[in-house]
Amino acid sequence: MYDPTRLAALVAVAEAGSITRAAERLGYTPPALSQQLAKLEREAGATLLVRSHRGTRLTGAGELLVARARRVLDEMERARHELAHLAGLSGGTLRLGTFQTAGIHLLPPVLSAFRRTYPDVELAVADYEPPAGVAAVAAGEVDLALTHTYEPAAPVAVPASVSLEPVLVEELVLVTAPGHVLAGGSARLALAELAGQPLISMAPDHPPRRGVEAALARAGATAAVLVETPVYALVCALVSAGLGVAVVPEMVARTAATPVGTRLLEPGDLRRTISVVHRTDETSPAADAFRALLRGTFERAGRHRPDH
């Protein structure tokens, strides 16, 4: 049996004329797509593609398999639509809430996968800075919301009508201007080493960050610039410009648009947990399907975090 994902990859290369263009269309990197095609060739026991500097063309075996693959994929698409109809996923609107970091870096591939699988379900996305997403789900304004909590932090009461399902836990790390003395070395940096350092302080009165800000203050970090809400793109830009150091989630440090140095901290108990909020007293097939996609995507994001 051939893997349908690999068959779809072969069809995409046949239509695009190159592995690079097909990879862009499918959301793969070219090396990852090449690996899928190599596995398909091993399954087929034949060379399917001829690669050259002018592009990629099918062999005779490749042309035969592409013709059959299109028929198989068309049948699978029809079956998917019929199953979606039976499962109640053939219409309606799924309303989602998200905060900025997750909305930019984690939600798009999940939305894309959901749209490919359930094209008849409309999607609506709204911005909710945590913990507002919890209240939005409880009030019925959205079906699901991504929210976050930080450690250390005082416990926050959650309405009985909603549940929080953790999907990703990440450490908070130090970010500095490139070449900063604290960015050097591979060993974890003790919080006490932040004493006297000018700190870009992120919303010290904002509930999710309050415990973290208190821990940094106890370590002796000196607030140099106050940012009213954790707009991490702004925080990293200020750090990159040399206005101070900051402590941000790993994801933020990895995806900063401005150059920053990073360092793991000791102890590693400053964390952010990203959760999906859903109602416990009711459910919908669309919301359940989206939560399943979220779990898979966020698990991969956690596994693929680079070493520091």
Side-chain angles (χ1 to χ4, degrees):
M1 295 293 291
Y2 297 121
D3 186 318
T5 301
R6 294 170 193 155
L7 292 177
L10 180 64
V11 171
V13 172
E15 294 173 349
S18 81
I19 289 176
T20 300
R21 288 193 294 272
E24 291 174 355
R25 180 186 302 177
L26 295 173
Y28 286 98
T29 62
L33 183 57
S34 292
Q35 289 178 8
Q36 292 295 319
L37 294 168
K39 290 177 181 178
L40 182 59
E41 288 184 320
R42 288 196 293 272
E43 290 174 348
T47 300
L48 304 175
L49 297 166
V50 176
R51 301 163 179 82
S52 70
H53 66 280
R54 289 181 292 182
T56 304
R57 64 175 180 83
L58 296 171
T59 64
E63 290 175 353
L64 186 152
L65 190 55
V66 163
R68 298 294 188 271
R70 287 194 172 108
R71 296 178 190 175
V72 170
L73 295 172
D74 286 345
E75 285 297 320
M76 291 181 66
E77 181 71 6
R78 279 194 285 272
R80 184 183 59 76
H81 277 284
E82 292 169 5
L83 289 170
H85 181 75
L86 288 175
L89 286 162
S90 59
T93 300
L94 180 62
R95 300 166 302 163
L96 305 167
T98 186
F99 59 95
Q100 187 180 73
T101 311
I104 293 173
H105 299 295
L106 290 175
L107 196 57
V110 187
L111 290 170
S112 179
F114 186 87
R115 172 53 54 82
R116 287 195 303 270
T117 308
Y118 309 110
D120 298 327
V121 179
E122 293 295 327
L123 295 169
V125 182
D127 181 63
Y128 287 95
E129 179 63 31
V134 176
V137 173
E141 296 173 10
V142 292
D143 302 302
L144 300 171
L146 290 173
T147 191
H148 59 55
T149 55
Y150 285 81
E151 295 177 50
V156 177
V158 176
S161 61
V162 304
S163 296
L164 273 66
E165 178 186 352
V167 290
L168 181 66
V169 180
E170 56 180 342
E171 283 192 41
L172 305 187
V173 300
L174 181 73
V175 288
T176 69
H180 192 284
V181 63
L182 293 184
S186 57
R188 287 178 176 267
L189 181 73
L191 277 182
E193 296 296 317
L194 297 181
Q197 287 292 327
L199 181 73
I200 310 299
S201 184
M202 281 156 287
D205 296 324
H206 187 58
R209 286 278 312 195
R210 194 173 291 153
V212 173
E213 296 293 325
L216 295 174
R218 288 192 298 271
T222 305
V225 179
L226 299 178
V227 179
E228 289 189 5
T229 58
V231 181
Y232 284 123
L234 172 60
V235 168
C236 289
L238 297 176
V239 167
S240 184
L243 293 173
V245 301
V247 174
V248 304
E250 286 180 291
M251 185 196 318
V252 171
R254 291 199 312 270
T255 57
T258 49
V260 294
T262 64
R263 186 86 175 266
L264 288 173
L265 295 169
E266 179 67 42
D269 57 359
L270 301 183
R271 298 186 181 92
R272 180 173 75 166
T273 298
I274 297 176
S275 301
V276 57
V277 189
H278 60 94
R279 286 190 289 276
T280 54
D281 55 353
E282 58 183 274
T283 187
S284 74
D288 290 344
F290 198 85
R291 284 168 56 200
L293 285 171
L294 276 173
R295 285 192 293 270
T297 300
F298 280 45
E299 285 170 4
R300 288 192 295 274
R303 287 198 302 269
H304 295 164
R305 286 182 296 181
D307 296 330
H308 290 268

